[in-house]
Amino acid sequence: MKYYIIADNQELTGFALQNLLKRDENNVVNRAVDKAGLIQLLKEHEDSVVVLDYTLFDFQDEESLLIVSERFSMATWVLISDELTKHFLQKTIYTSHVFSIVFKDEPLKEIRDAIQYASSGRRYISQRATDLILAQKQEDDEPAVLTATEIEIVKAIAQGKTTKEIAIERFSSIHTITTHRKNIFRKLDINTAHEVVKYALRAGLIDPSEFYI
């Protein structure tokens, strides 16, 4: 019997993963909606395979993810997201051998292979992830430059506003704000809203007295 934990707050993806894993009647599949719930499930079955969308979960940064993976050293992980930065990939892959990497928009065979590898204790890195990890940083890279709109959205994210709330305030569609958000994360080489807050504090875009990181 193999235990799986789906840690993905995107309902459609979670549903699809659950059905994929339950094709084998010997699999036991659980869902975690936050880090606390994930840790509780890992306590119950420390040798679980965790299928995690890091960008949609409440890990503050890659360090907090690595701490949990070290605490539950018998578990293996499949990191499956729309986008992950080169820095995050390099940090996780070079620090630990328990992480497999695949992207949500890759062929279903890649996702199946990643889960199968993790289930047998092996690591799977998709070709796209490999290309990102090995990509050489250009020597003349310039600092990320955000547009005026992106700066305003950074401030809103740092203030805890949701994508929907930002869209309403700016009279924009949720799709437009989501696109801005992805561009901001790519430019700043970050993955989570918590990292946006830290950037906004460092850049002086928000008042530090209003936040407790």
Side-chain angles (χ1 to χ4, degrees), residues 3-7 30-32 38 41-42 45 48-51:
Y3 292 91
Y4 293 87
I5 302 171
I6 298 174
N30 292 299
R31 292 285 301 274
L38 172 60
L41 288 171
L42 283 169
H45 299 287
S48 295
V49 176
V50 182
V51 185

Side-chain angles (χ1 to χ4, degrees), residues 39-68:
I39 289 173
Q40 182 57 46
L41 288 171
L42 283 169
K43 286 180 180 178
E44 296 170 8
H45 299 287
E46 295 190 4
D47 59 345
S48 295
V49 176
V50 182
V51 185
L52 168 72
D53 187 337
Y54 170 80
T55 63
L56 295 180
F57 227 59
D58 61 339
F59 284 102
Q60 293 183 345
D61 51 33
E62 64 266 19
E63 291 295 340
S64 60
L65 172 61
L66 290 168
I67 289 170
V68 173

Side-chain angles (χ1 to χ4, degrees), residues 191-204:
N191 295 283
T192 67
H194 183 82
E195 291 173 294
V196 172
V197 175
K198 292 196 287 188
Y199 168 81
L201 285 169
R202 290 196 303 269

Side-chain angles (χ1 to χ4, degrees), residues 3-14:
Y3 292 91
Y4 293 87
I5 302 171
I6 298 174
D8 188 321
N9 289 327
Q10 194 172 60
E11 290 189 17
L12 182 59
T13 304

